[in-house]
Amino acid sequence: MHTDIEEILISEEQIHQRAKELGEMISKDYEGKRPILIGLLKGSVPFLAELMKHITVDLEIDFMDVSSYEGTESTGDVRINKDLENSVKDDDLIIVEDIIDTGKTLKKVIEILYSKGAKSVKVATLLDKPEGRITSDIEGDYVGFTVPNCFLVGFGLDYNQKYRNLPYVGILKKECY
Ligand code: IMP
Ligand code: MG
């Protein structure tokens, strides 16, 4: 275990097992369709890679980079740093996120995707932190794990761009931030 980690909250095995279950659910729900997975950079990358292996319908992937976080505090400010490569008009989209906290990022991204003419927009997230929510109408459709309101890193989640490569989700030691 990394020396900056207080405790492993979710192991690599648990993540792999859950990604398989979610992939199977998505495969059933999207039978006969060809969804586009919209990965939100950069935190969703490991989860998207794990999840897509278990989706059996044809799909496409595309990425957006939006940011609303600086350090451990939300600025409440959502910027688009990188937009989608292809049109999503009349497409079925599944946003892939690392974690839903306040819900502000997703609310904004969902609005943007519908304004681009998406037919449907669902959300797959590795983690959900419901205690952090300030927009009550935002929920994950495919949720890996519900987690407590503490600062987590690993499996894509970072603190100042560090720890994304950890193969598990862990609680960062207080003295590290
Ligand atoms: P929201 O708009 O507050 O829901 O922000 C979601 C984004 O905040 C996620 O995509 C993460 O990038 C970041 N975030 C929220 N909680 C954590 C955490 O515990 N660790 C690392 N990043 C987090
Ligand atoms: Mg993020």
Side-chain angles (χ1 to χ4, degrees):
M1 185 168 84
H2 195 292
T3 49
D4 294 351
I5 299 299
E6 182 78 48
E7 179 194 333
I8 295 180
L9 200 65
I10 307 163
S11 71
E12 188 172 9
E13 292 70 30
Q14 285 175 294
I15 296 170
H16 287 181
Q17 177 54 36
R18 189 66 185 138
K20 185 167 183 280
E21 290 167 8
L22 295 178
E24 287 165 1
M25 285 164 61
I26 291 171
S27 305
K28 276 207 193 93
D29 294 351
Y30 286 83
E31 226 173 86
K33 294 180 178 163
R34 179 173 163 162
I36 307 177
L37 305 186
I38 308 288
L40 300 188
L41 295 171
K42 306 164 189 154
S44 69
V45 168
F47 178 51
L48 184 140
E50 190 56 39
L51 181 66
M52 69 188 285
K53 294 195 285 186
H54 302 290
I55 301 177
T56 52
V57 296
D58 288 338
L59 58 79
E60 295 176 36
I61 63 173
D62 205 341
F63 295 92
M64 262 181 112
D65 184 12
V66 298
S67 50
S68 66
Y69 257 67
E70 234 116 76
T72 53
E73 280 231 35
S74 177
T75 59
D77 195 6
V78 183
R79 279 196 313 271
I80 299 184
N81 306 316
K82 184 215 169 285
D83 211 340
L84 298 174
E85 191 179 311
N86 295 312
S87 160
V88 292
K89 191 161 171 13
D90 302 323
D91 285 314
D92 294 302
L93 310 182
I94 305 172
I95 299 172
V96 183
E97 247 296 37
D98 49 1
I99 185 166
I100 311 177
D101 184 11
T102 65
K104 275 195 264 180
T105 311
L106 267 182
K107 195 182 165 79
K108 185 78 190 168
V109 172
I110 291 169
E111 275 172 29
I112 294 169
L113 295 175
Y114 275 120
S115 76
K116 288 174 183 284
K119 187 161 128 198
S120 69
V121 181
K122 300 271 181 187
V123 176
T125 185
L126 175 62
L127 307 176
D128 184 14
K129 215 191 249 183
E131 289 166 46
R133 202 78 89 255
I134 55 168
T135 40
S136 55
D137 49 337
I138 296 298
E139 265 179 60
D141 300 284
Y142 305 96
V143 175
F145 303 90
T146 300
V147 293
N149 201 5
C150 51
F151 198 76
L152 305 170
V153 293
F155 217 87
L157 292 115
D158 72 305
Y159 174 64
N160 288 342
Q161 303 304 325
K162 205 172 154 184
Y163 311 111
R164 293 193 199 275
N165 55 319
L166 302 181
Y168 48 80
V169 172
I171 300 174
L172 190 60
K173 283 184 182 166
K174 282 267 175 342
E175 61 261 35
C176 298
Y177 61 86

